[in-house]
Amino acid sequence: MLNYQATENIVNLTFSKEYLNSRELLRLIEILRIKELLSKSQMTTDDAMALDEELKEKWWHENQGRFLAKIQ
């Protein structure tokens, strides 16, 4: 069973639990929540790219020892 009802601002989706396991359902909800947050964001593409670089640099700084130890 798969049904949906759409109005101007709302979509109600009904489907059988057999379509998605718990993990898949949580992932779908997470994706929709992220899309909702992004639609409200005022972050520019440049801001997002700068944040991406900052996070990658921080991650590498925290994890480089673990990776470099494997190749030395």
Side-chain angles (χ1 to χ4, degrees):
M1 164 190 69
L2 175 63
N3 296 308
Y4 72 93
Q5 180 181 10
T7 65
E8 186 175 328
N9 297 319
I10 301 288
V11 174
N12 289 313
L13 179 63
T14 305
F15 54 89
S16 175
K17 289 175 94 175
E18 67 189 38
Y19 288 169
L20 299 173
N21 63 37
S22 296
R23 185 174 179 221
E24 293 167 328
L25 179 58
L26 288 174
R27 181 69 179 135
L28 175 61
I29 293 168
E30 180 180 272
I31 289 168
L32 293 172
R33 180 69 178 136
I34 289 168
K35 288 180 111 10
E36 177 187 31
L37 292 171
L38 287 173
S39 73
K40 296 175 182 179
S41 174
Q42 295 182 11
M43 182 179 277
T44 66
T45 301
D46 288 341
D47 292 339
M49 295 303 289
L51 180 58
D52 177 60
E53 288 300 319
E54 180 181 332
L55 291 172
K56 285 191 282 191
E57 184 177 326
K58 181 180 178 195
W59 183 91
W60 178 247
H61 179 72
E62 292 172 355
N63 294 282
Q64 67 181 340
R66 183 168 50 106
F67 284 91
L68 295 177
K70 292 179 180 181
I71 60 173
Q72 294 178 354

XYZ file of all heavy atoms in Angstrom:
606
model
N 0.837 -1.170 0.000
C 0.000 0.000 0.000
C 0.889 1.242 0.000
O 1.840 1.344 0.762
C -0.898 -0.014 1.242
C -1.522 1.338 1.512
S -2.347 1.504 3.086
C -1.011 1.450 4.219
N 0.568 2.165 -0.861
C 1.245 3.454 -0.918
C 0.209 4.499 -1.303
O -0.396 4.419 -2.372
C 2.383 3.424 -1.941
C 3.108 4.746 -2.184
C 3.803 5.215 -0.918
C 4.117 4.596 -3.305
N 0.013 5.454 -0.419
C -0.951 6.536 -0.667
C -0.328 7.856 -0.282
O 0.501 7.921 0.631
C -2.221 6.334 0.169
C -2.981 5.094 -0.186
O -3.295 4.877 -1.352
N -3.248 4.269 0.801
N -0.733 8.882 -0.979
C -0.324 10.216 -0.563
C -1.446 11.192 -0.855
O -2.290 10.974 -1.714
C 0.971 10.662 -1.240
C 0.830 11.001 -2.707
C 0.585 12.310 -3.105
C 0.941 10.021 -3.684
C 0.453 12.627 -4.446
C 0.812 10.321 -5.019
C 0.567 11.629 -5.396
O 0.428 11.940 -6.713
N -1.443 12.245 -0.073
C -2.406 13.330 -0.248
C -1.613 14.616 -0.170
O -0.881 14.840 0.799
C -3.475 13.283 0.850
C -4.509 14.378 0.745
C -5.527 14.303 1.884
O -5.358 13.546 2.837
N -6.571 15.097 1.791
N -1.734 15.440 -1.188
C -0.969 16.682 -1.237
C -1.914 17.874 -1.269
O -2.890 17.883 -2.013
C -0.074 16.694 -2.460
N -1.602 18.845 -0.431
C -2.291 20.134 -0.479
C -1.260 21.164 -0.908
O -0.133 20.820 -1.273
C -2.884 20.488 0.893
O -1.809 20.676 1.825
C -3.828 19.410 1.386
N -1.594 22.408 -0.823
C -0.670 23.455 -1.248
C 0.635 23.441 -0.453
O 1.709 23.647 -1.016
C -1.342 24.830 -1.107
C -0.513 25.963 -1.659
C -1.248 27.287 -1.619
O -2.474 27.291 -1.763
O -0.565 28.313 -1.435
N 0.555 23.155 0.838
C 1.743 23.227 1.692
C 2.140 21.924 2.379
O 3.204 21.851 2.984
C 1.540 24.283 2.787
C 1.365 25.663 2.224
O 2.050 26.035 1.286
N 0.433 26.422 2.766
N 1.297 20.907 2.309
C 1.519 19.686 3.080
C 1.372 18.465 2.184
O 0.498 18.410 1.329
C 0.478 19.574 4.228
C 0.550 20.763 5.170
C 0.631 18.260 4.985
C 1.764 20.796 6.062
N 2.228 17.462 2.433
C 2.084 16.162 1.786
C 1.991 15.120 2.898
O 2.858 15.056 3.772
C 3.279 15.825 0.869
C 3.152 14.413 0.339
C 3.394 16.829 -0.249
N 0.933 14.342 2.880
C 0.785 13.222 3.802
C 1.068 11.957 3.017
O 0.422 11.680 2.015
C -0.626 13.170 4.380
C -0.885 14.301 5.350
O -0.069 14.563 6.215
N -2.009 14.961 5.184
N 2.027 11.198 3.498
C 2.457 9.982 2.833
C 2.169 8.805 3.757
O 2.573 8.804 4.916
C 3.950 10.066 2.519
C 4.617 8.891 1.847
C 4.022 8.660 0.465
C 6.111 9.138 1.747
N 1.492 7.811 3.229
C 1.177 6.609 3.991
C 1.656 5.412 3.190
O 1.357 5.299 2.000
C -0.341 6.497 4.221
O -0.815 7.691 4.834
C -0.668 5.319 5.110
N 2.423 4.544 3.856
C 2.889 3.350 3.164
C 3.041 2.213 4.172
O 3.144 2.435 5.371
C 4.199 3.597 2.413
C 5.297 4.152 3.262
C 6.160 3.314 3.942
C 5.478 5.529 3.371
C 7.183 3.828 4.724
C 6.488 6.041 4.144
C 7.351 5.199 4.826
N 3.071 1.019 3.656
C 3.207 -0.170 4.479
C 4.604 -0.231 5.092
O 5.591 0.121 4.444
C 2.965 -1.404 3.616
O 3.196 -2.571 4.366
N 4.689 -0.707 6.318
C 5.974 -0.835 7.001
C 6.910 -1.798 6.283
O 8.118 -1.746 6.472
C 5.767 -1.285 8.443
C 5.159 -0.210 9.327
C 4.870 -0.753 10.696
C 6.021 -0.460 11.617
N 5.754 -0.870 13.007
N 6.370 -2.656 5.443
C 7.216 -3.611 4.734
C 8.083 -2.938 3.677
O 9.057 -3.520 3.209
C 6.365 -4.705 4.074
C 5.496 -4.211 2.947
C 4.508 -5.257 2.445
O 3.959 -6.008 3.260
O 4.295 -5.294 1.225
N 7.777 -1.713 3.303
C 8.552 -1.008 2.276
C 9.922 -0.567 2.777
O 10.883 -0.516 2.016
C 7.799 0.212 1.752
C 6.622 -0.105 0.869
C 5.725 0.883 0.522
C 6.396 -1.376 0.366
C 4.632 0.601 -0.292
C 5.316 -1.662 -0.443
C 4.438 -0.664 -0.766
O 3.374 -0.935 -1.566
N 10.009 -0.190 4.042
C 11.263 0.304 4.605
C 11.495 -0.320 5.970
O 10.580 -0.384 6.785
C 11.224 1.833 4.786
C 11.040 2.713 3.560
C 10.857 4.159 3.975
C 12.217 2.581 2.626
N 12.736 -0.734 6.220
C 13.044 -1.183 7.574
C 13.283 0.053 8.447
O 13.292 1.183 7.958
C 14.232 -2.154 7.587
C 15.524 -1.527 7.116
O 15.816 -0.368 7.391
N 16.323 -2.309 6.390
N 13.477 -0.157 9.729
C 13.616 0.969 10.666
C 14.761 1.898 10.287
O 14.630 3.122 10.342
C 13.823 0.461 12.088
O 12.702 -0.242 12.517
N 15.875 1.306 9.894
C 17.057 2.110 9.524
C 16.764 2.966 8.296
O 17.127 4.144 8.246
C 18.230 1.178 9.269
C 19.515 1.884 8.989
C 20.652 0.878 8.904
N 21.882 1.576 8.609
C 22.781 1.124 7.765
N 22.599 -0.022 7.149
N 23.874 1.807 7.540
N 16.126 2.383 7.294
C 15.796 3.125 6.072
C 14.797 4.238 6.353
O 14.913 5.333 5.808
C 15.227 2.171 5.015
C 16.228 1.174 4.498
C 15.587 0.051 3.703
O 14.434 -0.334 4.003
O 16.248 -0.434 2.768
N 13.823 3.952 7.229
C 12.833 4.969 7.581
C 13.493 6.146 8.290
O 13.222 7.306 7.973
C 11.740 4.364 8.457
C 10.643 5.317 8.912
C 9.929 5.954 7.714
C 9.654 4.591 9.811
N 14.394 5.849 9.221
C 15.100 6.930 9.921
C 15.943 7.752 8.945
O 16.029 8.973 9.058
C 15.963 6.370 11.043
C 15.198 5.846 12.251
C 16.152 5.188 13.242
C 14.395 6.946 12.910
N 16.555 7.095 7.984
C 17.360 7.796 6.970
C 16.481 8.709 6.125
O 16.851 9.846 5.848
C 18.097 6.780 6.092
C 18.959 7.396 5.035
C 20.168 8.100 5.631
N 20.953 8.655 4.561
C 21.458 9.870 4.557
N 21.326 10.652 5.593
N 22.154 10.305 3.530
N 15.300 8.233 5.728
C 14.369 9.059 4.963
C 13.944 10.288 5.765
O 13.951 11.412 5.250
C 13.133 8.240 4.567
C 12.013 8.989 3.865
C 12.475 9.591 2.551
C 10.811 8.075 3.655
N 13.617 10.085 7.024
C 13.231 11.204 7.886
C 14.387 12.189 8.034
O 14.206 13.402 7.981
C 12.742 10.691 9.257
C 11.422 9.934 9.066
C 12.592 11.828 10.252
C 10.998 9.134 10.278
N 15.601 11.666 8.194
C 16.790 12.512 8.310
C 16.996 13.352 7.050
O 17.288 14.547 7.124
C 18.006 11.630 8.563
C 19.299 12.374 8.713
C 20.449 11.409 8.950
O 20.697 11.074 10.113
O 21.075 10.983 7.962
N 16.838 12.743 5.892
C 16.994 13.464 4.628
C 15.962 14.586 4.517
O 16.295 15.720 4.146
C 16.877 12.494 3.429
C 18.109 11.590 3.365
C 16.695 13.262 2.117
C 17.958 10.421 2.408
N 14.721 14.287 4.871
C 13.669 15.312 4.807
C 13.947 16.446 5.795
O 13.729 17.615 5.483
C 12.305 14.679 5.063
C 11.822 13.710 3.985
C 10.556 12.998 4.434
C 11.615 14.429 2.660
N 14.438 16.096 6.975
C 14.760 17.127 7.984
C 15.907 18.014 7.494
O 15.871 19.234 7.641
C 15.140 16.448 9.303
C 15.489 17.399 10.398
C 14.289 18.171 10.882
N 14.698 19.029 11.975
C 14.336 20.283 12.122
N 13.503 20.826 11.267
N 14.772 20.996 13.113
N 16.909 17.422 6.874
C 18.030 18.193 6.335
C 17.532 19.134 5.241
O 17.910 20.300 5.195
C 19.141 17.262 5.813
C 19.842 16.582 6.994
C 20.143 18.028 4.953
C 20.759 15.443 6.600
N 16.657 18.632 4.366
C 16.112 19.473 3.301
C 15.338 20.642 3.896
O 15.407 21.761 3.406
C 15.221 18.654 2.367
C 16.000 17.712 1.471
C 15.092 16.938 0.574
C 15.119 17.222 -0.868
N 16.062 18.013 -1.508
N 14.595 20.384 4.974
C 13.849 21.456 5.637
C 14.800 22.512 6.195
O 14.606 23.714 5.998
C 12.994 20.879 6.763
C 12.239 21.943 7.544
C 11.522 21.390 8.758
O 12.000 20.413 9.360
O 10.484 21.960 9.110
N 15.851 22.066 6.870
C 16.818 23.004 7.438
C 17.535 23.800 6.346
O 17.745 25.007 6.492
C 17.833 22.257 8.302
C 17.281 21.649 9.583
C 18.331 20.753 10.237
C 16.798 22.722 10.541
N 17.901 23.128 5.260
C 18.576 23.818 4.167
C 17.686 24.877 3.518
O 18.167 25.932 3.114
C 19.047 22.820 3.115
C 20.240 21.967 3.502
C 20.495 20.896 2.453
C 21.482 22.822 3.707
N 16.401 24.596 3.436
C 15.491 25.557 2.813
C 15.386 26.843 3.632
O 15.065 27.897 3.095
C 14.103 24.947 2.624
O 13.422 24.836 3.857
N 15.687 26.749 4.934
C 15.619 27.919 5.815
C 16.973 28.606 5.982
O 17.059 29.684 6.548
C 15.095 27.503 7.184
C 13.678 26.978 7.149
C 13.256 26.482 8.504
C 11.851 25.918 8.452
N 11.423 25.409 9.740
N 18.018 27.977 5.476
C 19.368 28.487 5.663
C 19.625 29.722 4.809
O 19.143 29.829 3.685
C 20.394 27.419 5.293
O 21.695 27.950 5.339
N 20.414 30.618 5.346
C 20.841 31.793 4.593
C 22.318 31.691 4.233
O 22.929 32.656 3.782
C 20.560 33.061 5.404
C 19.081 33.297 5.623
C 18.801 34.574 6.373
O 19.671 35.402 6.577
N 17.566 34.737 6.795
N 22.880 30.501 4.408
C 24.285 30.276 4.100
C 24.491 30.318 2.586
O 23.735 29.725 1.838
C 24.721 28.908 4.643
C 26.186 28.597 4.404
S 26.678 26.990 5.073
C 26.968 27.431 6.769
N 25.519 31.017 2.179
C 25.849 31.071 0.754
C 26.706 29.869 0.383
O 27.238 29.172 1.255
C 26.636 32.350 0.412
O 27.918 32.280 1.060
C 25.898 33.603 0.846
N 26.862 29.638 -0.899
C 27.726 28.557 -1.367
C 29.154 28.776 -0.894
O 29.834 27.841 -0.460
C 27.682 28.467 -2.902
O 26.329 28.228 -3.300
C 28.567 27.351 -3.423
N 29.627 30.020 -0.941
C 30.986 30.326 -0.474
C 31.130 30.023 1.014
O 32.151 29.489 1.452
C 31.335 31.783 -0.750
C 31.564 32.058 -2.227
O 31.816 31.093 -2.985
O 31.492 33.240 -2.619
N 30.096 30.367 1.808
C 30.117 30.056 3.241
C 30.198 28.546 3.458
O 30.953 28.070 4.308
C 28.863 30.583 3.939
C 28.782 32.091 4.002
O 29.837 32.752 3.873
O 27.667 32.617 4.172
N 29.411 27.799 2.695
C 29.392 26.343 2.831
C 30.742 25.746 2.457
O 31.230 24.827 3.128
C 28.280 25.750 1.959
N 31.353 26.251 1.383
C 32.657 25.737 0.965
C 33.722 26.047 2.008
O 34.590 25.212 2.290
C 33.036 26.315 -0.400
C 32.119 25.885 -1.528
S 31.999 24.118 -1.742
C 33.615 23.769 -2.386
N 33.681 27.235 2.593
C 34.650 27.607 3.625
C 34.477 26.715 4.856
O 35.462 26.250 5.443
C 34.480 29.077 4.009
N 33.239 26.447 5.247
C 32.973 25.568 6.376
C 33.461 24.153 6.072
O 34.072 23.495 6.921
C 31.482 25.559 6.699
C 31.046 24.669 7.859
C 31.761 25.044 9.152
C 29.528 24.741 8.031
N 33.228 23.688 4.860
C 33.696 22.369 4.436
C 35.212 22.257 4.585
O 35.722 21.281 5.142
C 33.273 22.113 2.992
C 33.797 20.791 2.461
O 33.454 19.748 3.047
O 34.531 20.817 1.457
N 35.928 23.248 4.102
C 37.393 23.238 4.200
C 37.847 23.255 5.655
O 38.783 22.543 6.038
C 37.994 24.414 3.430
C 37.903 24.271 1.936
C 38.627 23.027 1.415
O 39.724 22.717 1.911
O 38.069 22.368 0.519
N 37.180 24.067 6.470
C 37.533 24.156 7.888
C 37.326 22.805 8.581
O 38.180 22.351 9.353
C 36.657 25.223 8.556
C 36.920 25.421 10.023
C 36.004 26.466 10.638
O 35.559 27.387 9.922
O 35.737 26.344 11.842
N 36.215 22.150 8.280
C 35.929 20.856 8.903
C 36.906 19.788 8.447
O 37.363 18.961 9.253
C 34.493 20.427 8.600
C 33.410 21.263 9.265
C 32.034 20.872 8.743
C 33.475 21.151 10.777
N 37.254 19.776 7.150
C 38.218 18.794 6.654
C 39.586 19.013 7.289
O 40.264 18.050 7.665
C 38.315 18.866 5.127
C 37.124 18.245 4.423
C 37.351 18.090 2.951
C 37.169 19.375 2.232
N 37.116 19.277 0.776
N 39.986 20.268 7.403
C 41.286 20.573 8.006
C 41.308 20.134 9.465
O 42.283 19.522 9.928
C 41.566 22.074 7.901
C 42.925 22.469 8.414
C 43.207 23.961 8.221
O 42.754 24.549 7.223
O 43.885 24.522 9.095
N 40.246 20.427 10.191
C 40.164 20.026 11.592
C 40.192 18.505 11.711
O 40.897 17.951 12.557
C 38.893 20.577 12.227
C 38.748 20.221 13.681
C 37.473 20.779 14.284
C 37.379 20.343 15.737
N 36.073 20.513 16.293
N 39.421 17.820 10.853
C 39.383 16.364 10.892
C 40.776 15.796 10.629
O 41.221 14.885 11.333
C 38.380 15.832 9.861
C 38.260 14.338 9.914
C 37.372 13.624 10.657
C 39.074 13.383 9.224
N 37.587 12.280 10.467
C 38.624 12.100 9.590
C 40.129 13.489 8.337
C 39.206 10.942 9.090
C 40.702 12.327 7.842
C 40.236 11.075 8.221
N 41.451 16.306 9.617
C 42.780 15.792 9.287
C 43.746 16.022 10.444
O 44.527 15.134 10.804
C 43.303 16.415 7.999
C 44.689 15.939 7.683
C 45.829 16.666 7.677
C 45.080 14.596 7.346
N 46.905 15.874 7.363
C 46.467 14.587 7.151
C 44.386 13.405 7.200
C 47.177 13.445 6.820
C 45.096 12.261 6.857
C 46.473 12.294 6.676
N 43.681 17.191 11.046
C 44.561 17.494 12.176
C 44.332 16.490 13.310
O 45.287 16.037 13.944
C 44.313 18.925 12.674
C 45.147 19.306 13.848
N 46.497 19.543 13.763
C 44.822 19.480 15.147
C 46.968 19.841 14.960
N 45.958 19.810 15.817
N 43.078 16.121 13.559
C 42.761 15.199 14.642
C 43.064 13.740 14.293
O 43.249 12.921 15.190
C 41.280 15.337 15.021
C 40.952 16.676 15.657
C 39.465 16.889 15.851
O 38.649 16.042 15.406
O 39.104 17.922 16.442
N 43.108 13.391 13.007
C 43.222 11.991 12.606
C 44.480 11.627 11.827
O 44.687 10.452 11.524
C 41.991 11.600 11.769
C 40.730 11.628 12.593
O 40.473 10.713 13.355
N 39.955 12.686 12.452
N 45.320 12.599 11.513
C 46.466 12.304 10.659
C 47.415 11.283 11.268
O 47.968 10.439 10.565
C 47.204 13.573 10.273
C 47.893 14.282 11.419
C 48.579 15.549 10.958
O 48.860 15.723 9.783
N 48.847 16.438 11.886
N 47.602 11.335 12.568
C 48.505 10.388 13.220
C 48.077 8.946 13.006
O 48.906 8.063 12.743
N 46.804 8.701 13.092
C 46.269 7.351 12.910
C 46.525 6.846 11.495
O 46.897 5.701 11.296
C 44.763 7.396 13.196
C 44.069 6.065 13.110
C 42.668 6.138 13.691
N 41.875 7.232 13.188
C 40.882 7.089 12.331
N 40.578 5.911 11.834
N 40.192 8.142 11.929
N 46.365 7.708 10.495
C 46.577 7.296 9.107
C 48.050 7.202 8.765
O 48.486 6.248 8.110
C 45.874 8.255 8.155
C 44.392 8.041 8.097
C 43.549 8.735 8.938
C 43.847 7.120 7.225
C 42.189 8.527 8.913
C 42.493 6.894 7.180
C 41.651 7.598 8.032
N 48.841 8.154 9.187
C 50.261 8.146 8.863
C 50.984 6.994 9.543
O 51.937 6.459 8.995
C 50.889 9.486 9.227
C 50.386 10.685 8.426
C 51.021 11.972 8.919
C 50.629 10.487 6.941
N 50.511 6.585 10.719
C 51.132 5.460 11.415
C 51.008 4.170 10.622
O 51.874 3.299 10.711
C 50.488 5.294 12.786
N 49.987 4.065 9.808
C 49.768 2.841 9.009
C 50.696 2.753 7.803
O 50.910 1.681 7.272
C 48.322 2.761 8.565
C 47.350 2.534 9.699
C 45.925 2.477 9.186
C 44.976 2.255 10.334
N 43.583 2.177 9.869
N 51.239 3.880 7.362
C 52.061 3.846 6.153
C 53.552 4.045 6.444
O 54.372 4.005 5.555
C 51.595 4.887 5.104
C 51.671 6.308 5.658
C 50.201 4.571 4.622
C 51.387 7.388 4.631
N 53.898 4.256 7.667
C 55.301 4.459 8.011
C 55.928 3.197 8.537
O 55.380 2.321 9.025
C 55.458 5.591 9.042
C 55.064 6.907 8.447
C 55.152 8.047 9.467
O 55.410 7.823 10.640
N 54.943 9.247 9.009
